[in-house]
Amino acid sequence: MPLINARREYKRQVEEGRQAPKRETTFEHSYVDTLLDIKLPEEEGDRPLTEDEIVALCSEFLNAGTRTTSMVKNPAVQERLHAEIEAACGDGEVSEEAVQGMPYLEAVILEGLRKHPPGHFVLPHKAAEDMEIGGYLMPKGATVNFMVAEMGRDGRE
């Protein structure tokens, strides 16, 4: 948030004419600038993004490029996937029917989703009664969030 707030302050000073715009890169605006300029439609309250929303979008933006390179680290997986796809489709188009017959492809996709789930939490749950979870007392009505990414990496189960 300090970096986002610094950019917000810089934009405000430029808009008020108290500071001349700097050309920091070949681009006029940063990704954060676009997020600060977004105004959600009326059905969303006709409001700017919240700080939490900006942080989440920045996190997604920064992490998106790192997940796609994980298969490069394992050429054996690439080769096996390529062989399965070639056996099922040859040089032709990959159809939905062909994909249904590719168990290794399905396993790789499911493993990718386990290690990098698209959502970090499932929908929040409320405790129906006082209960103990992992040595902690959860009082009736308490909201409990389950961290899917952490559950998928837990080697105990």
Side-chain angles (χ1 to χ4, degrees), residues 9 56 58 72 78 87 100 113 124 131 141:
E9 178 61 20
C58 287
V72 172
Q78 286 183 22
Q100 300 302 318
L113 290 170
M131 60 180 58

Side-chain angles (χ1 to χ4, degrees), residues 6-55:
R7 192 63 187 187
R8 180 183 283 128
E9 178 61 20
Y10 163 78
K11 282 179 57 80
R12 189 178 63 71
Q13 288 184 11
V14 167
E15 288 169 4
E16 293 174 355
R18 294 185 351 195
Q19 181 171 336
K22 295 183 228 169
R23 190 167 186 110
E24 297 144 355
T25 67
T26 56
F27 299 106
E28 297 272 334
H29 302 283
S30 71
Y31 178 64
V32 172
D33 289 343
T34 63
L35 298 177
L36 293 171
D37 291 341
I38 288 176
K39 191 158 186 171
L40 296 177
E42 221 173 283
E43 56 269 5
E44 292 290 327
D46 198 33
R47 63 174 177 82
L49 294 174
T50 65
E51 288 184 353
D52 287 342
E53 290 167 333
I54 292 173
V55 168

